[in-house]
Amino acid sequence: MPIKQSSFEERRDSVRAKRIITVRHRLIKHNNRKVNSIWQLAATENMSLSGLLFVSALVYHPGDIVELQVVMSGVLDIFNGYGKVVRATRNKSGNYHVGVKYVDLKSKRRPAKTVLASG
């Protein structure tokens, strides 16, 4: 009989490290529509190889795509890329815990064709 996964904790595919690091974030896609939003500052609660959890004053919805820049001490880039919101819950202080799974939105590059000039 298969074991049913009942909590978000059990569905994680990598170990999370509790780290509080500055993260810049902005919404770039909501309901499959591009959005032009401004950068916001927040702090991570934990991170892993596959995603992160941060605290946001703005509400995000599952399925939203956000651009993320995680920087340590303003010098060391830890992560620059995109994430898909997998959960967002409001905490007692009125902020949101936003769980994000990293996604690759870079367009696939086609290999360059070699053109030989005839002489």
Side-chain angles (χ1 to χ4, degrees), residues 39 67-71 76-82 106:
W39 286 100
E67 186 172 3
L68 301 164
Q69 295 178 344
V70 182
V71 180
L76 179 64
D77 285 341
I78 298 191
F79 178 80
N80 284 316
Y82 301 95
K106 294 179 183 174

Side-chain angles (χ1 to χ4, degrees), residues 113-119:
K113 292 182 181 179
T114 304
V115 178
L116 299 175
S118 55

Side-chain angles (χ1 to χ4, degrees), residues 31-98:
N31 289 334
N32 289 323
R33 291 189 174 157
K34 288 186 179 181
V35 176
N36 187 12
S37 65
I38 62 171
W39 286 100
Q40 304 290 320
L41 281 178
T44 62
E45 289 234 339
N46 62 51
M47 298 180 68
S48 76
L49 293 174
S50 61
L52 61 85
L53 177 72
F54 67 95
V55 178
S56 172
L58 300 177
V59 63
Y60 288 109
H61 304 279
D64 285 351
I65 304 295
V66 293
E67 186 172 3
L68 301 164
Q69 295 178 344
V70 182
V71 180
M72 184 180 282
S73 302
V75 179
L76 179 64
D77 285 341
I78 298 191
F79 178 80
N80 284 316
Y82 301 95
K84 182 176 184 178
V85 175
V86 293
R87 68 184 175 105
T89 57
R90 193 169 193 166
N91 62 22
K92 292 178 183 177
S93 67
N95 291 317
Y96 298 88
H97 284 122
V98 182

